[in-house]
Amino acid sequence: MARPTYSLRCLVLRRTKLGESDVIVTLLAQDGSQVRAVAKGARKPTSSFSSRLELFCVCDLLLVSGKSLDIVKEARLVESNDHLRGDLELMEAASPVVEILDRTTQVGLEDGRLFDMACAALRSLRDSVDPDVLTAAHLLKTLAVLGFRPRFDLCVGCGTAVDLGSAGRYLAFSLVDGGLVCPACRSQHETVLLPHDVVSWSQALLFATFAEVGTFRIPPAVVLDVLRFLQMWVRQHLGVKLKSLDYLIVMSA
């Protein structure tokens, strides 16, 4: 009996070598779920898959259902995003965008916002004033969709609204409880101190569009501190270590 086939628009999150010429591709489907499939012969220079299943590519695929991994039968390139692979700075900024999705999405767990945000972020990196700022914005937005949004607008202890405009130079933040802590509640929570600029810019990145984020001019030291905050947040709430984010922080320091 012939195995069923299905069509899929997807973003390539990761490529893993298999045997002498095959590749396992980890994909983010348009519905936000993760799919893993084998592209046979994809590492051969003459393969039609070689340029269509590169990291960051958006493709329309025809797949055959398999017992453990599906098999790619046809691939049509929708967006190559070759500007990312041809520029080291852009590649460094784009890598955390796909790695967090590789580490957090699951088979059968759908949320189309993840696909749309990732594609928009990768597309916007070309024209961004500071690619690292756009990376930080995507991570914050993705965390919010996944249910791990940091709260910069109220105290997580008592729920009192926090006015960032009148806040001091440093604000108490609880990584465990997920947000800012007012002075009255600070003794009841384990907190770290975040610079005001890190909190205010993180809040702005969380709600701005990628087009707006691409025009932001944030001091490099503040961008680095925002990335370090995200590094701590991801480890605390997702329990994963994003190697590409760690690398980006080292290169930006």
Side-chain angles (χ1 to χ4, degrees):
M1 180 183 294
R3 293 179 180 176
T5 62
Y6 64 98
S7 299
L8 184 73
R9 175 160 293 187
C10 59
L11 169 66
V12 179
L13 302 179
R14 180 159 54 98
R15 288 166 52 99
T16 306
K17 293 180 180 179
L18 178 66
E20 295 184 359
S21 60
D22 300 342
V23 168
I24 298 175
V25 284
T26 303
L27 310 165
L28 178 69
Q30 195 168 20
D31 63 10
S33 62
Q34 186 178 118
V35 175
R36 298 180 75 237
V38 176
K40 294 185 176 180
R43 287 160 53 207
K44 295 180 179 178
T46 56
S47 171
S48 61
F49 296 146
S50 60
S51 62
R52 301 175 187 177
L53 292 174
E54 293 288 344
L55 191 65
F56 312 129
C57 283
V58 179
C59 312
D60 283 335
L61 303 182
L62 178 66
L63 299 105
V64 177
S65 298
K67 292 182 179 180
S68 57
L69 293 172
D70 296 344
I71 299 172
V72 180
K73 298 299 292 183
E74 297 178 11
R76 183 178 70 84
L77 192 61
V78 177
E79 291 183 70
S80 67
N81 285 321
D82 55 1
H83 60 286
L84 303 177
R85 295 185 298 277
D87 184 302
L88 181 59
E89 182 183 12
L90 293 183
M91 181 177 288
E92 291 171 352
S95 293
V97 172
V98 294
E99 186 182 358
I100 191 171
L101 294 168
D102 176 32
R103 300 294 298 274
T104 58
T105 55
Q106 301 177 37
V107 176
L109 188 61
E110 301 177 2
D111 193 323
R113 293 175 295 175
L114 295 173
F115 179 87
D116 293 337
M117 283 196 309
C119 291
L122 295 175
R123 198 179 300 123
S124 300
L125 276 169
R126 182 199 299 270
D127 302 316
S128 178
V129 171
D130 185 343
D132 293 356
V133 174
L134 201 137
T135 302
H138 175 267
L139 291 175
L140 281 162
K141 295 174 188 299
T142 298
L143 288 163
V145 170
L146 293 172
F148 298 101
R149 170 190 163 190
R151 298 306 301 256
F152 302 115
D153 55 344
L154 51 80
C155 171
V156 294
C158 62
T160 303
V162 176
D163 181 7
L164 294 180
S166 60
R169 186 177 177 185
Y170 291 93
L171 295 92
F173 189 94
S174 172
L175 289 169
V176 174
D177 297 309
L180 294 176
V181 178
C182 71
C185 296
R186 188 173 175 185
S187 62
Q188 304 168 34
H189 298 266
E190 180 182 348
T191 62
V192 295
L193 290 178
L194 294 182
H196 181 278
D197 285 348
V198 170
V199 174
S200 58
W201 275 115
S202 294
Q203 178 79 335
L205 293 173
L206 187 58
F207 293 103
T209 66
F210 287 125
E212 293 169 337
V213 170
T215 67
F216 287 175
R217 296 183 181 275
I218 307 177
V222 176
V223 177
L224 183 58
D225 282 343
V226 171
L227 292 173
R228 285 172 172 157
F229 162 72
L230 286 168
Q231 182 186 51
M232 294 188 296
W233 184 262
V234 168
R235 290 181 181 178
Q236 176 70 43
H237 290 277
L238 299 184
V240 300
K241 179 179 180 181
L242 299 181
K243 294 181 180 180
S244 58
L245 179 57
D246 290 349
Y247 180 81
L248 184 61
I249 289 171
V250 170
M251 297 304 295
S252 302

